[in-house]
Amino acid sequence: MYNIAIDGPAGAGKSTIAKIVAKQLDFIYVDTGAMYRTLALACYRAGIKADEEAKVVAKCKESTVSLGYENGTQKVFLNGEDVSTEIRQEVIGNMTSAIAVYPEVREILVKLQQDLAKQNNVVMDGRDIGTAVLPNADLKIYLTASVSVRAKRRYDQLVENGNEADIKAIEKDIEDRDYRDMNREVSPLKQADDAVLLDSSYMTIDEVVAKIVSLAQ
């Protein structure tokens, strides 16, 4: 099996890039962030706060996260319910970053992700794929972009979907999330020693995809 790991901070374009790369290579795309968001949604629906670790872990253990594919697009299910759209809310994104620091939450999902990679050619994106989940991945990419560029991308996405947005607040959220992700005790976000660094701030999606595909050849 050939495994590609794409890591990087929030808003760097990992999911968008990984989906296209997977399609071009005819690999399975695994959105690990969506899996974490699904557990965050389960906690959010139950009224559990991110800092209630014992309750978070208990809820995650009793929740079932599964993946499905429809026309090549990944769908994520919570206890059999398609929550692919609902998990994209900003409030769920912030909660995800907060609960992902708990070791037991990570253990639940890492095993599922590793099993998928053993059985399939995959492109997997997240925060610690190349360093912790798939340390022996055949190709590792660290995809990043400046905070201002990432905030503008998120702002444009929200406005395009008809939502009100404050770009300064988005920048602050991204900076806070970067800090949490990079400073957590368990599997912090960092570039793997053998990862290829790609800064997408001034690259088009097509340029980033072409670079990754060429590296995988």
Side-chain angles (χ1 to χ4, degrees), residues 67-145:
L67 301 178
Y69 295 88
E70 194 176 284
N71 299 323
T73 301
Q74 179 185 283
K75 300 284 186 181
V76 63
F77 299 87
L78 172 60
N79 302 325
E81 175 194 352
D82 183 355
V83 294
S84 307
T85 301
E86 194 175 350
I87 60 170
R88 295 302 166 187
Q89 300 172 83
E90 199 74 8
V91 65
I92 301 301
N94 289 329
M95 185 164 189
T96 301
S97 184
I99 72 165
V101 302
Y102 300 138
E104 287 182 273
V105 172
R106 304 192 70 75
E107 282 174 22
I108 294 166
L109 291 182
V110 166
K111 184 179 186 310
L112 181 57
Q113 292 156 7
Q114 290 175 335
D115 287 345
L116 283 167
K118 282 175 188 170
Q119 298 161 19
N120 304 277
N121 293 323
V122 302
V123 179
M124 195 177 293
D125 75 302
R127 302 286 193 278
D128 63 346
I129 308 304
T131 54
V133 181
L134 301 178
N136 298 315
D138 301 275
L139 173 62
K140 299 178 187 177
I141 303 292
Y142 189 84
L143 183 65
T144 190

Side-chain angles (χ1 to χ4, degrees), residues 40-70:
L41 176 64
C43 295
Y44 181 76
R45 283 180 170 180
I48 299 168
K49 293 180 179 150
D51 60 0
E52 297 179 299
E53 182 175 354
K55 288 183 180 179
V56 166
V57 170
K59 174 53 71 175
C60 290
K61 283 183 175 176
E62 70 179 42
S63 301
T64 301
V65 177
S66 55
L67 301 178
Y69 295 88
E70 194 176 284

Side-chain angles (χ1 to χ4, degrees), residues 5 8 37 39 41 50 68 90 99 116 134 151 160 164 190 197 202 217:
R37 280 173 176 263
L39 290 182
L41 176 64
E90 199 74 8
I99 72 165
L116 283 167
L134 301 178
E160 188 179 314
E164 289 188 7
K190 63 179 180 180
L197 174 65
Y202 303 105
Q217 304 284 305

